[in-house]
Amino acid sequence: MSKSVSSLRRKKAAGAETVVPQHEAAVESERRRGRGAQSNASGRYEAEARVAFDDGWQSIEDLPPFKTTVGADSARKVITRNDSPDIGFDRSINPYRGCEHGCVYCFARPTHAYLGLSPGLDFESKLFAKHDAPALLEKELAHPDYQPKMIAIGTNTDPYQPIERDLKIMRGILEVLDRVSHPVGIVTKSALVVRDLDILERMAKRNLVKVGLSVTTLDSKLARAMEPRASTPTRRLEALKRLAEAGVPAKVMVSPIIPALNDAEMERILDSAAHIGVKEASYILLRLPLEVRDLFREWLLANYPDKYRHVFTMIRDVRGGKDYDSQWGVRMKGTGPMAWMIGRRFEIACGKLGLNKKPARLTTEHFVRPQNGGGQLSLF
């Protein structure tokens, strides 16, 4: 059974805050076991939003659990461009749409609405893979007008999420980049990245790669609830250690920092990473764009109800009184005394641990343009 969007959402006169009643929107726990989101409300572009509810006939008990499905993404190009002034790259690749890691705070969740799917449970169970990404990449790199510059991978969805273990699309992309000596920066939450250590080590010797692993918390219970299918904190630290030992520039990313939930762990995470050989670190404050706000609110009420008010009070303190501020230059770090204090704590800790003294610099000097890149052969 279902209810329409009008009965599920209401607007407050001041601030136009969307409220989704938890008892109506939440999906039964057994159906979403091992998932991050609590609900699966329709995307913002849909004319109607429907959720399951028990009408008294117990028919909801017959609904199947959410299982991971993988569809094909038929994009004709694989390199995405951006001109955001507060991001240190202008091009990126995302081998997958959606992410099975299920991180409840993931700022990429709203992109599933463009597919007519929910940013909630659909985002982490209905995935799409760019199977021909390596071939498309080689074709784009072969174009006469292409100018090499670092490509970022993992900035939207994780390239090393569980389905990569079988599909190996990310490995295929790395093989292309290694072959043409093109620089790449990788971001992940998965220890699966060390599977490709053979390629990464070769590329590192030519200053072509750097890898960042996000370590949000050292608390295994919090990590399992917040990032249910990502690698455990211990395994992420082990992956960072192996990368550092292999000579691959490795960065620990303490992100997102969630005030009153995991911000107290910042120094411990940085200390743990520094003592295994990591030389660089960064952090980003929690971002709650569009549907992510309500999904995070539902999760917080379900898992840490006693911290709900405190967490959102602190979030608004660093966002100018709002749940989120998308303004360039402040969206990553926030504003106000609390945001300033988090920034100073990070700088002091990095200074004491010797982090960020000499950031890795990637080069394009070795780039060799692919010949034909799968396109039509020249007659001359």
Side-chain angles (χ1 to χ4, degrees), residues 9 11 15-20 41-45 104-114 117-120 156 286-298 312 322-326 331:
R9 298 177 180 177
K11 299 280 188 176
E17 182 180 3
T18 302
V19 177
V20 182
S42 301
R44 59 191 177 280
Y45 299 116
V104 69
Y105 52 73
C106 181
F107 67 86
R109 283 181 176 274
T111 61
H112 242 45
Y114 296 118
L117 297 171
S118 173
N156 198 42
L286 175 69
R287 297 165 60 186
L288 297 176
L290 302 170
E291 292 95 340
V292 183
R293 179 191 60 181
D294 290 329
L295 289 167
F296 181 73
R297 177 183 285 116
E298 291 171 0
F312 265 90
K322 299 180 289 186
D323 291 337
Y324 180 56
D325 184 354
S326 61
R331 57 180 178 165

mmCIF file of all heavy atoms in Angstrom, residues 9 11 15-20 41-45 104-114 117-120 156 286-298 312 322-326 331:
data_model
loop_
_atom_site.group_PDB
_atom_site.id
_atom_site.type_symbol
_atom_site.label_atom_id
_atom_site.label_comp_id
_atom_site.label_asym_id
_atom_site.label_seq_id
_atom_site.Cartn_x
_atom_site.Cartn_y
_atom_site.Cartn_z
ATOM 1 N N ARG A 9 4.609 14.997 3.256
ATOM 2 C CA ARG A 9 5.464 16.155 3.402
ATOM 3 C C ARG A 9 4.636 17.396 3.693
ATOM 4 O O ARG A 9 3.569 17.591 3.128
ATOM 5 C CB ARG A 9 6.281 16.380 2.115
ATOM 6 C CG ARG A 9 7.198 15.214 1.812
ATOM 7 C CD ARG A 9 7.931 15.442 0.519
ATOM 8 N NE ARG A 9 8.812 14.322 0.225
ATOM 9 C CZ ARG A 9 9.534 14.202 -0.865
ATOM 10 N NH1 ARG A 9 9.500 15.143 -1.773
ATOM 11 N NH2 ARG A 9 10.309 13.151 -1.059
ATOM 12 N N LYS A 11 5.191 21.807 4.677
ATOM 13 C CA LYS A 11 6.132 22.918 4.717
ATOM 14 C C LYS A 11 5.868 23.789 5.936
ATOM 15 O O LYS A 11 4.733 24.133 6.235
ATOM 16 C CB LYS A 11 5.991 23.790 3.461
ATOM 17 C CG LYS A 11 6.286 23.048 2.159
ATOM 18 C CD LYS A 11 7.759 22.936 1.903
ATOM 19 C CE LYS A 11 8.030 22.381 0.519
ATOM 20 N NZ LYS A 11 9.426 22.345 0.178
ATOM 21 N N GLY A 15 11.038 29.328 6.782
ATOM 22 C CA GLY A 15 12.175 28.495 6.422
ATOM 23 C C GLY A 15 11.838 27.372 5.461
ATOM 24 O O GLY A 15 12.720 26.711 4.950
ATOM 25 N N ALA A 16 10.574 27.138 5.168
ATOM 26 C CA ALA A 16 10.146 26.118 4.219
ATOM 27 C C ALA A 16 10.870 24.801 4.441
ATOM 28 O O ALA A 16 11.451 24.225 3.553
ATOM 29 C CB ALA A 16 10.372 26.611 2.788
ATOM 30 N N GLU A 17 10.836 24.319 5.658
ATOM 31 C CA GLU A 17 11.539 23.080 5.998
ATOM 32 C C GLU A 17 10.645 21.881 5.746
ATOM 33 O O GLU A 17 9.523 21.802 6.212
ATOM 34 C CB GLU A 17 11.959 23.094 7.465
ATOM 35 C CG GLU A 17 12.731 21.846 7.869
ATOM 36 C CD GLU A 17 13.133 21.875 9.322
ATOM 37 O OE1 GLU A 17 12.758 22.838 10.018
ATOM 38 O OE2 GLU A 17 13.805 20.927 9.759
ATOM 39 N N THR A 18 11.154 20.935 4.948
ATOM 40 C CA THR A 18 10.400 19.724 4.656
ATOM 41 C C THR A 18 10.453 18.781 5.846
ATOM 42 O O THR A 18 11.513 18.518 6.381
ATOM 43 C CB THR A 18 10.983 19.017 3.419
ATOM 44 O OG1 THR A 18 10.947 19.919 2.326
ATOM 45 C CG2 THR A 18 10.191 17.776 3.089
ATOM 46 N N VAL A 19 9.324 18.250 6.234
ATOM 47 C CA VAL A 19 9.265 17.320 7.353
ATOM 48 C C VAL A 19 8.686 16.010 6.851
ATOM 49 O O VAL A 19 7.601 15.982 6.278
ATOM 50 C CB VAL A 19 8.407 17.875 8.505
ATOM 51 C CG1 VAL A 19 8.301 16.851 9.615
ATOM 52 C CG2 VAL A 19 8.999 19.177 9.020
ATOM 53 N N VAL A 20 9.391 14.915 7.040
ATOM 54 C CA VAL A 20 8.899 13.603 6.643
ATOM 55 C C VAL A 20 8.663 12.788 7.900
ATOM 56 O O VAL A 20 9.611 12.421 8.583
ATOM 57 C CB VAL A 20 9.920 12.870 5.741
ATOM 58 C CG1 VAL A 20 9.364 11.528 5.303
ATOM 59 C CG2 VAL A 20 10.254 13.734 4.532
ATOM 60 N N ALA A 41 11.822 7.637 -0.311
ATOM 61 C CA ALA A 41 10.878 8.584 -0.900
ATOM 62 C C ALA A 41 11.276 8.918 -2.331
ATOM 63 O O ALA A 41 12.461 8.940 -2.678
ATOM 64 C CB ALA A 41 10.833 9.862 -0.067
ATOM 65 N N SER A 42 10.296 9.176 -3.175
ATOM 66 C CA SER A 42 10.556 9.469 -4.577
ATOM 67 C C SER A 42 11.408 10.720 -4.735
ATOM 68 O O SER A 42 11.443 11.585 -3.865
ATOM 69 C CB SER A 42 9.225 9.662 -5.320
ATOM 70 O OG SER A 42 8.428 8.507 -5.230
ATOM 71 N N GLY A 43 12.100 10.799 -5.876
ATOM 72 C CA GLY A 43 12.951 11.947 -6.156
ATOM 73 C C GLY A 43 12.154 13.223 -6.332
ATOM 74 O O GLY A 43 10.942 13.197 -6.571
ATOM 75 N N ARG A 44 12.836 14.343 -6.261
ATOM 76 C CA ARG A 44 12.173 15.648 -6.275
ATOM 77 C C ARG A 44 11.539 15.995 -7.617
ATOM 78 O O ARG A 44 10.734 16.917 -7.695
ATOM 79 C CB ARG A 44 13.177 16.741 -5.890
ATOM 80 C CG ARG A 44 14.383 16.846 -6.800
ATOM 81 C CD ARG A 44 15.452 17.757 -6.192
ATOM 82 N NE ARG A 44 16.654 17.834 -7.007
ATOM 83 C CZ ARG A 44 17.609 16.913 -7.026
ATOM 84 N NH1 ARG A 44 17.488 15.842 -6.270
ATOM 85 N NH2 ARG A 44 18.667 17.051 -7.788
ATOM 86 N N TYR A 45 11.868 15.276 -8.679
ATOM 87 C CA TYR A 45 11.293 15.582 -9.991
ATOM 88 C C TYR A 45 10.052 14.759 -10.296
ATOM 89 O O TYR A 45 9.436 14.941 -11.345
ATOM 90 C CB TYR A 45 12.341 15.344 -11.085
ATOM 91 C CG TYR A 45 13.570 16.213 -10.931
ATOM 92 C CD1 TYR A 45 14.811 15.637 -10.685
ATOM 93 C CD2 TYR A 45 13.485 17.595 -11.022
ATOM 94 C CE1 TYR A 45 15.937 16.423 -10.536
ATOM 95 C CE2 TYR A 45 14.604 18.392 -10.869
ATOM 96 C CZ TYR A 45 15.829 17.798 -10.620
ATOM 97 O OH TYR A 45 16.949 18.590 -10.465
ATOM 98 N N VAL A 104 25.089 7.355 4.786
ATOM 99 C CA VAL A 104 23.835 8.089 4.890
ATOM 100 C C VAL A 104 24.000 9.566 4.580
ATOM 101 O O VAL A 104 23.074 10.225 4.121
ATOM 102 C CB VAL A 104 23.216 7.886 6.296
ATOM 103 C CG1 VAL A 104 24.046 8.588 7.363
ATOM 104 C CG2 VAL A 104 21.769 8.349 6.327
ATOM 105 N N TYR A 105 25.197 10.108 4.800
ATOM 106 C CA TYR A 105 25.450 11.531 4.616
ATOM 107 C C TYR A 105 25.907 11.876 3.202
ATOM 108 O O TYR A 105 26.209 13.038 2.907
ATOM 109 C CB TYR A 105 26.548 11.982 5.591
ATOM 110 C CG TYR A 105 27.787 11.121 5.496
ATOM 111 C CD1 TYR A 105 28.644 11.206 4.416
ATOM 112 C CD2 TYR A 105 28.069 10.186 6.496
ATOM 113 C CE1 TYR A 105 29.745 10.390 4.310
ATOM 114 C CE2 TYR A 105 29.178 9.358 6.399
ATOM 115 C CZ TYR A 105 30.011 9.471 5.303
ATOM 116 O OH TYR A 105 31.106 8.656 5.198
ATOM 117 N N CYS A 106 25.992 10.918 2.292
ATOM 118 C CA CYS A 106 26.610 11.121 0.980
ATOM 119 C C CYS A 106 25.942 12.258 0.208
ATOM 120 O O CYS A 106 24.746 12.196 -0.094
ATOM 121 C CB CYS A 106 26.554 9.834 0.166
ATOM 122 S SG CYS A 106 27.327 9.988 -1.456
ATOM 123 N N PHE A 107 26.724 13.266 -0.155
ATOM 124 C CA PHE A 107 26.174 14.425 -0.860
ATOM 125 C C PHE A 107 25.806 14.095 -2.302
ATOM 126 O O PHE A 107 25.154 14.893 -2.983
ATOM 127 C CB PHE A 107 27.163 15.595 -0.826
ATOM 128 C CG PHE A 107 28.429 15.361 -1.614
ATOM 129 C CD1 PHE A 107 28.489 15.644 -2.966
ATOM 130 C CD2 PHE A 107 29.568 14.878 -0.990
ATOM 131 C CE1 PHE A 107 29.652 15.424 -3.696
ATOM 132 C CE2 PHE A 107 30.736 14.661 -1.701
ATOM 133 C CZ PHE A 107 30.773 14.928 -3.068
ATOM 134 N N ALA A 108 26.207 12.904 -2.798
ATOM 135 C CA ALA A 108 25.879 12.509 -4.172
ATOM 136 C C ALA A 108 24.489 11.902 -4.285
ATOM 137 O O ALA A 108 23.983 11.695 -5.394
ATOM 138 C CB ALA A 108 26.913 11.510 -4.686
ATOM 139 N N ARG A 109 23.856 11.607 -3.170
ATOM 140 C CA ARG A 109 22.545 10.951 -3.215
ATOM 141 C C ARG A 109 21.526 11.674 -4.104
ATOM 142 O O ARG A 109 20.788 11.027 -4.861
ATOM 143 C CB ARG A 109 21.989 10.800 -1.792
ATOM 144 C CG ARG A 109 22.628 9.668 -0.992
ATOM 145 C CD ARG A 109 22.008 9.560 0.393
ATOM 146 N NE ARG A 109 22.516 8.429 1.161
ATOM 147 C CZ ARG A 109 22.040 7.199 1.100
ATOM 148 N NH1 ARG A 109 21.019 6.939 0.296
ATOM 149 N NH2 ARG A 109 22.562 6.225 1.826
ATOM 150 N N PRO A 110 21.422 13.016 -4.062
ATOM 151 C CA PRO A 110 20.408 13.696 -4.878
ATOM 152 C C PRO A 110 20.545 13.460 -6.381
ATOM 153 O O PRO A 110 19.588 13.679 -7.126
ATOM 154 C CB PRO A 110 20.627 15.179 -4.527
ATOM 155 C CG PRO A 110 21.175 15.146 -3.136
ATOM 156 C CD PRO A 110 22.083 13.951 -3.130
ATOM 157 N N THR A 111 21.721 12.991 -6.854
ATOM 158 C CA THR A 111 21.884 12.771 -8.293
ATOM 159 C C THR A 111 20.999 11.639 -8.793
ATOM 160 O O THR A 111 20.695 11.573 -9.990
ATOM 161 C CB THR A 111 23.354 12.449 -8.632
ATOM 162 O OG1 THR A 111 23.761 11.249 -7.952
ATOM 163 C CG2 THR A 111 24.272 13.586 -8.216
ATOM 164 N N HIS A 112 20.564 10.742 -7.915
ATOM 165 C CA HIS A 112 19.702 9.644 -8.354
ATOM 166 C C HIS A 112 18.325 10.145 -8.771
ATOM 167 O O HIS A 112 17.601 9.444 -9.487
ATOM 168 C CB HIS A 112 19.587 8.583 -7.251
ATOM 169 C CG HIS A 112 20.128 7.246 -7.663
ATOM 170 N ND1 HIS A 112 21.323 7.103 -8.325
ATOM 171 C CD2 HIS A 112 19.634 5.975 -7.517
ATOM 172 C CE1 HIS A 112 21.547 5.813 -8.567
ATOM 173 N NE2 HIS A 112 20.532 5.108 -8.094
ATOM 174 N N ALA A 113 17.958 11.336 -8.320
ATOM 175 C CA ALA A 113 16.665 11.905 -8.715
ATOM 176 C C ALA A 113 16.628 12.179 -10.211
ATOM 177 O O ALA A 113 15.558 12.151 -10.823
ATOM 178 C CB ALA A 113 16.390 13.190 -7.930
ATOM 179 N N TYR A 114 17.787 12.448 -10.815
ATOM 180 C CA TYR A 114 17.844 12.681 -12.255
ATOM 181 C C TYR A 114 17.482 11.429 -13.042
ATOM 182 O O TYR A 114 17.139 11.498 -14.226
ATOM 183 C CB TYR A 114 19.245 13.148 -12.677
ATOM 184 C CG TYR A 114 19.656 14.478 -12.108
ATOM 185 C CD1 TYR A 114 20.755 14.581 -11.266
ATOM 186 C CD2 TYR A 114 18.952 15.644 -12.406
ATOM 187 C CE1 TYR A 114 21.141 15.805 -10.732
ATOM 188 C CE2 TYR A 114 19.319 16.865 -11.886
ATOM 189 C CZ TYR A 114 20.418 16.949 -11.040
ATOM 190 O OH TYR A 114 20.796 18.156 -10.520
ATOM 191 N N LEU A 117 14.772 8.033 -9.722
ATOM 192 C CA LEU A 117 14.881 7.119 -8.595
ATOM 193 C C LEU A 117 15.038 7.884 -7.292
ATOM 194 O O LEU A 117 15.282 9.094 -7.288
ATOM 195 C CB LEU A 117 16.073 6.180 -8.802
ATOM 196 C CG LEU A 117 15.981 5.261 -10.027
ATOM 197 C CD1 LEU A 117 17.304 4.544 -10.251
ATOM 198 C CD2 LEU A 117 14.838 4.265 -9.886
ATOM 199 N N SER A 118 14.930 7.164 -6.198
ATOM 200 C CA SER A 118 15.021 7.795 -4.892
ATOM 201 C C SER A 118 16.470 7.986 -4.465
ATOM 202 O O SER A 118 17.303 7.088 -4.631
ATOM 203 C CB SER A 118 14.315 6.937 -3.840
ATOM 204 O OG SER A 118 14.542 7.454 -2.538
ATOM 205 N N PRO A 119 16.805 9.151 -3.886
ATOM 206 C CA PRO A 119 18.117 9.341 -3.281
ATOM 207 C C PRO A 119 18.298 8.512 -2.012
ATOM 208 O O PRO A 119 19.394 8.456 -1.469
ATOM 209 C CB PRO A 119 18.132 10.848 -2.952
ATOM 210 C CG PRO A 119 17.140 11.458 -3.887
ATOM 211 C CD PRO A 119 16.045 10.413 -3.955
ATOM 212 N N GLY A 120 17.235 7.881 -1.566
ATOM 213 C CA GLY A 120 17.294 7.047 -0.362
ATOM 214 C C GLY A 120 17.820 5.660 -0.665
ATOM 215 O O GLY A 120 18.940 5.480 -1.126
ATOM 216 N N ASN A 156 32.370 11.678 -6.580
ATOM 217 C CA ASN A 156 30.911 11.621 -6.485
ATOM 218 C C ASN A 156 30.487 10.293 -5.866
ATOM 219 O O ASN A 156 29.989 10.257 -4.752
ATOM 220 C CB ASN A 156 30.285 11.807 -7.868
ATOM 221 C CG ASN A 156 28.821 12.179 -7.797
ATOM 222 O OD1 ASN A 156 28.412 12.980 -6.975
ATOM 223 N ND2 ASN A 156 28.015 11.599 -8.662
ATOM 224 N N LEU A 286 30.345 18.239 7.221
ATOM 225 C CA LEU A 286 29.148 17.585 6.711
ATOM 226 C C LEU A 286 28.374 18.532 5.805
ATOM 227 O O LEU A 286 28.163 19.697 6.124
ATOM 228 C CB LEU A 286 28.252 17.169 7.887
ATOM 229 C CG LEU A 286 26.888 16.581 7.530
ATOM 230 C CD1 LEU A 286 27.045 15.206 6.890
ATOM 231 C CD2 LEU A 286 26.006 16.504 8.776
ATOM 232 N N ARG A 287 27.958 18.004 4.655
ATOM 233 C CA ARG A 287 27.130 18.765 3.713
ATOM 234 C C ARG A 287 25.777 18.082 3.593
ATOM 235 O O ARG A 287 25.698 16.861 3.437
ATOM 236 C CB ARG A 287 27.823 18.833 2.347
ATOM 237 C CG ARG A 287 29.157 19.560 2.385
ATOM 238 C CD ARG A 287 29.973 19.293 1.125
ATOM 239 N NE ARG A 287 29.281 19.721 -0.062
ATOM 240 C CZ ARG A 287 29.720 19.501 -1.311
ATOM 241 N NH1 ARG A 287 30.838 18.842 -1.512
ATOM 242 N NH2 ARG A 287 29.034 19.931 -2.353
ATOM 243 N N LEU A 288 24.694 18.870 3.648
ATOM 244 C CA LEU A 288 23.344 18.305 3.613
ATOM 245 C C LEU A 288 22.498 18.941 2.511
ATOM 246 O O LEU A 288 21.458 19.549 2.781
ATOM 247 C CB LEU A 288 22.654 18.503 4.968
ATOM 248 C CG LEU A 288 23.280 17.810 6.177
ATOM 249 C CD1 LEU A 288 22.545 18.196 7.443
ATOM 250 C CD2 LEU A 288 23.284 16.295 5.990
ATOM 251 N N PRO A 289 22.898 18.785 1.256
ATOM 252 C CA PRO A 289 22.109 19.377 0.169
ATOM 253 C C PRO A 289 20.836 18.597 -0.123
ATOM 254 O O PRO A 289 20.792 17.364 0.039
ATOM 255 C CB PRO A 289 23.066 19.310 -1.024
ATOM 256 C CG PRO A 289 23.908 18.102 -0.741
ATOM 257 C CD PRO A 289 24.095 18.100 0.751
ATOM 258 N N LEU A 290 19.792 19.305 -0.520
ATOM 259 C CA LEU A 290 18.555 18.702 -1.011
ATOM 260 C C LEU A 290 18.059 17.554 -0.128
ATOM 261 O O LEU A 290 17.910 17.727 1.065
ATOM 262 C CB LEU A 290 18.775 18.252 -2.463
ATOM 263 C CG LEU A 290 19.196 19.388 -3.429
ATOM 264 C CD1 LEU A 290 19.629 18.850 -4.775
ATOM 265 C CD2 LEU A 290 18.070 20.396 -3.578
ATOM 266 N N GLU A 291 17.848 16.364 -0.716
ATOM 267 C CA GLU A 291 17.252 15.257 0.033
ATOM 268 C C GLU A 291 18.147 14.706 1.136
ATOM 269 O O GLU A 291 17.663 14.007 2.045
ATOM 270 C CB GLU A 291 16.900 14.101 -0.920
ATOM 271 C CG GLU A 291 15.781 14.404 -1.890
ATOM 272 C CD GLU A 291 16.292 14.886 -3.241
ATOM 273 O OE1 GLU A 291 17.462 15.343 -3.312
ATOM 274 O OE2 GLU A 291 15.526 14.831 -4.210
ATOM 275 N N VAL A 292 19.438 14.998 1.091
ATOM 276 C CA VAL A 292 20.353 14.437 2.092
ATOM 277 C C VAL A 292 19.976 14.897 3.493
ATOM 278 O O VAL A 292 20.120 14.164 4.463
ATOM 279 C CB VAL A 292 21.814 14.822 1.782
ATOM 280 C CG1 VAL A 292 22.764 14.169 2.782
ATOM 281 C CG2 VAL A 292 22.190 14.391 0.368
ATOM 282 N N ARG A 293 19.472 16.116 3.603
ATOM 283 C CA ARG A 293 19.101 16.635 4.925
ATOM 284 C C ARG A 293 18.078 15.744 5.621
ATOM 285 O O ARG A 293 18.267 15.343 6.775
ATOM 286 C CB ARG A 293 18.536 18.059 4.792
ATOM 287 C CG ARG A 293 18.109 18.664 6.121
ATOM 288 C CD ARG A 293 17.324 19.952 5.934
ATOM 289 N NE ARG A 293 16.113 19.712 5.157
ATOM 290 C CZ ARG A 293 15.254 20.672 4.826
ATOM 291 N NH1 ARG A 293 15.504 21.912 5.166
ATOM 292 N NH2 ARG A 293 14.172 20.390 4.123
ATOM 293 N N ASP A 294 16.990 15.423 4.920
ATOM 294 C CA ASP A 294 15.941 14.611 5.547
ATOM 295 C C ASP A 294 16.399 13.179 5.773
ATOM 296 O O ASP A 294 16.023 12.549 6.767
ATOM 297 C CB ASP A 294 14.675 14.635 4.691
ATOM 298 C CG ASP A 294 13.995 16.000 4.726
ATOM 299 O OD1 ASP A 294 14.108 16.681 5.767
ATOM 300 O OD2 ASP A 294 13.367 16.376 3.729
ATOM 301 N N LEU A 295 17.214 12.652 4.866
ATOM 302 C CA LEU A 295 17.730 11.294 5.049
ATOM 303 C C LEU A 295 18.644 11.218 6.271
ATOM 304 O O LEU A 295 18.578 10.268 7.055
ATOM 305 C CB LEU A 295 18.496 10.858 3.797
ATOM 306 C CG LEU A 295 17.630 10.593 2.559
ATOM 307 C CD1 LEU A 295 18.504 10.481 1.319
ATOM 308 C CD2 LEU A 295 16.803 9.325 2.747
ATOM 309 N N PHE A 296 19.486 12.241 6.440
ATOM 310 C CA PHE A 296 20.372 12.257 7.600
ATOM 311 C C PHE A 296 19.574 12.460 8.885
ATOM 312 O O PHE A 296 19.866 11.845 9.916
ATOM 313 C CB PHE A 296 21.411 13.365 7.447
ATOM 314 C CG PHE A 296 22.392 13.424 8.596
ATOM 315 C CD1 PHE A 296 23.375 12.464 8.729
ATOM 316 C CD2 PHE A 296 22.309 14.428 9.552
ATOM 317 C CE1 PHE A 296 24.271 12.492 9.792
ATOM 318 C CE2 PHE A 296 23.191 14.475 10.612
ATOM 319 C CZ PHE A 296 24.179 13.504 10.729
ATOM 320 N N ARG A 297 18.545 13.288 8.825
ATOM 321 C CA ARG A 297 17.703 13.517 9.997
ATOM 322 C C ARG A 297 17.018 12.217 10.429
ATOM 323 O O ARG A 297 16.996 11.866 11.614
ATOM 324 C CB ARG A 297 16.650 14.588 9.688
ATOM 325 C CG ARG A 297 15.685 14.841 10.849
ATOM 326 C CD ARG A 297 14.608 15.838 10.493
ATOM 327 N NE ARG A 297 15.137 17.189 10.459
ATOM 328 C CZ ARG A 297 15.190 17.961 9.374
ATOM 329 N NH1 ARG A 297 14.755 17.486 8.224
ATOM 330 N NH2 ARG A 297 15.664 19.181 9.434
ATOM 331 N N GLU A 298 16.460 11.488 9.469
ATOM 332 C CA GLU A 298 15.805 10.208 9.776
ATOM 333 C C GLU A 298 16.792 9.229 10.405
ATOM 334 O O GLU A 298 16.471 8.548 11.381
ATOM 335 C CB GLU A 298 15.239 9.589 8.495
ATOM 336 C CG GLU A 298 14.061 10.324 7.897
ATOM 337 C CD GLU A 298 13.687 9.788 6.529
ATOM 338 O OE1 GLU A 298 14.351 8.845 6.049
ATOM 339 O OE2 GLU A 298 12.723 10.314 5.945
ATOM 340 N N PHE A 312 22.093 18.917 15.247
ATOM 341 C CA PHE A 312 21.559 19.904 14.308
ATOM 342 C C PHE A 312 21.776 21.334 14.790
ATOM 343 O O PHE A 312 21.906 22.250 13.973
ATOM 344 C CB PHE A 312 20.082 19.621 14.006
ATOM 345 C CG PHE A 312 19.896 18.811 12.753
ATOM 346 C CD1 PHE A 312 19.870 17.428 12.806
ATOM 347 C CD2 PHE A 312 19.809 19.421 11.521
ATOM 348 C CE1 PHE A 312 19.740 16.667 11.664
ATOM 349 C CE2 PHE A 312 19.676 18.683 10.353
ATOM 350 C CZ PHE A 312 19.642 17.300 10.420
ATOM 351 N N LYS A 322 21.527 27.863 9.027
ATOM 352 C CA LYS A 322 20.796 26.988 8.107
ATOM 353 C C LYS A 322 21.310 25.554 8.223
ATOM 354 O O LYS A 322 22.367 25.306 8.790
ATOM 355 C CB LYS A 322 20.952 27.485 6.665
ATOM 356 C CG LYS A 322 20.395 28.894 6.443
ATOM 357 C CD LYS A 322 20.562 29.344 5.009
ATOM 358 C CE LYS A 322 22.013 29.630 4.661
ATOM 359 N NZ LYS A 322 22.159 30.200 3.289
ATOM 360 N N ASP A 323 20.556 24.622 7.647
ATOM 361 C CA ASP A 323 21.014 23.239 7.622
ATOM 362 C C ASP A 323 22.154 23.056 6.629
ATOM 363 O O ASP A 323 22.994 22.179 6.794
ATOM 364 C CB ASP A 323 19.863 22.293 7.253
ATOM 365 C CG ASP A 323 18.814 22.208 8.346
ATOM 366 O OD1 ASP A 323 19.142 22.494 9.512
ATOM 367 O OD2 ASP A 323 17.660 21.861 8.032
ATOM 368 N N TYR A 324 22.176 23.901 5.589
ATOM 369 C CA TYR A 324 23.238 23.804 4.595
ATOM 370 C C TYR A 324 23.376 25.121 3.849
ATOM 371 O O TYR A 324 22.392 25.798 3.570
ATOM 372 C CB TYR A 324 22.947 22.677 3.594
ATOM 373 C CG TYR A 324 24.018 22.524 2.543
ATOM 374 C CD1 TYR A 324 25.352 22.312 2.904
ATOM 375 C CD2 TYR A 324 23.714 22.586 1.188
ATOM 376 C CE1 TYR A 324 26.344 22.175 1.949
ATOM 377 C CE2 TYR A 324 24.694 22.436 0.226
ATOM 378 C CZ TYR A 324 26.016 22.234 0.598
ATOM 379 O OH TYR A 324 26.996 22.099 -0.339
ATOM 380 N N ASP A 325 24.612 25.471 3.548
ATOM 381 C CA ASP A 325 24.919 26.659 2.760
ATOM 382 C C ASP A 325 25.789 26.209 1.588
ATOM 383 O O ASP A 325 26.915 25.753 1.775
ATOM 384 C CB ASP A 325 25.677 27.683 3.613
ATOM 385 C CG ASP A 325 25.944 28.983 2.868
ATOM 386 O OD1 ASP A 325 25.640 29.051 1.652
ATOM 387 O OD2 ASP A 325 26.472 29.928 3.479
ATOM 388 N N SER A 326 25.252 26.304 0.370
ATOM 389 C CA SER A 326 25.952 25.805 -0.811
ATOM 390 C C SER A 326 26.900 26.821 -1.428
ATOM 391 O O SER A 326 27.470 26.569 -2.493
ATOM 392 C CB SER A 326 24.933 25.369 -1.871
ATOM 393 O OG SER A 326 24.132 26.475 -2.279
ATOM 394 N N ARG A 331 31.159 26.151 1.602
ATOM 395 C CA ARG A 331 30.385 24.899 1.722
ATOM 396 C C ARG A 331 31.217 23.748 2.286
ATOM 397 O O ARG A 331 30.684 22.840 2.903
ATOM 398 C CB ARG A 331 29.792 24.504 0.371
ATOM 399 C CG ARG A 331 30.816 24.336 -0.740
ATOM 400 C CD ARG A 331 30.157 23.957 -2.033
ATOM 401 N NE ARG A 331 31.116 23.845 -3.129
ATOM 402 C CZ ARG A 331 30.863 23.254 -4.280
ATOM 403 N NH1 ARG A 331 29.679 22.715 -4.482
ATOM 404 N NH2 ARG A 331 31.774 23.199 -5.240
#
